[in-house]
Amino acid sequence: MSAIELFLEKMTDPEFQAAFMGAGTPEAKAAVLAQAGLTLSVAEAEGALAGQELSDEDLDQVAGGGAGIIRYPPQ
């Protein structure tokens, strides 16, 4: 399991989530991560949280998996 997967799993714990989200500075967030034994940066953690909001369909579209409707010439 990757560090990001471990972090996202840890975010299901209400106490950890409150501590991380309530930390006011990047240094405080880094301390919360370190206390939990997680080896990822604050930027990686916040990026994982932002990426978590995408659905599987959204990810398919971004990855080019959804063809959609292609019109030529564009209207």
Side-chain angles (χ1 to χ4, degrees):
M1 194 177 273
S2 74
I4 291 175
E5 291 171 328
L6 290 171
F7 168 73
L8 291 175
E9 183 178 305
K10 193 76 172 159
M11 284 298 285
T12 63
D13 174 9
E15 289 181 25
F16 177 81
Q17 184 178 16
F20 184 78
M21 299 304 282
T25 64
E27 293 79 17
K29 287 184 178 188
V32 171
L33 293 171
Q35 278 184 325
L38 297 170
T39 57
L40 72 160
S41 70
V42 173
E44 290 171 319
E46 289 176 341
L49 289 177
Q52 186 180 25
E53 296 173 6
L54 295 176
S55 70
D56 288 340
E57 290 174 357
D58 292 335
L59 292 174
D60 284 343
Q61 291 294 325
V62 171
I69 298 173
I70 300 172
R71 294 188 177 122
Y72 189 78
Q75 298 179 20

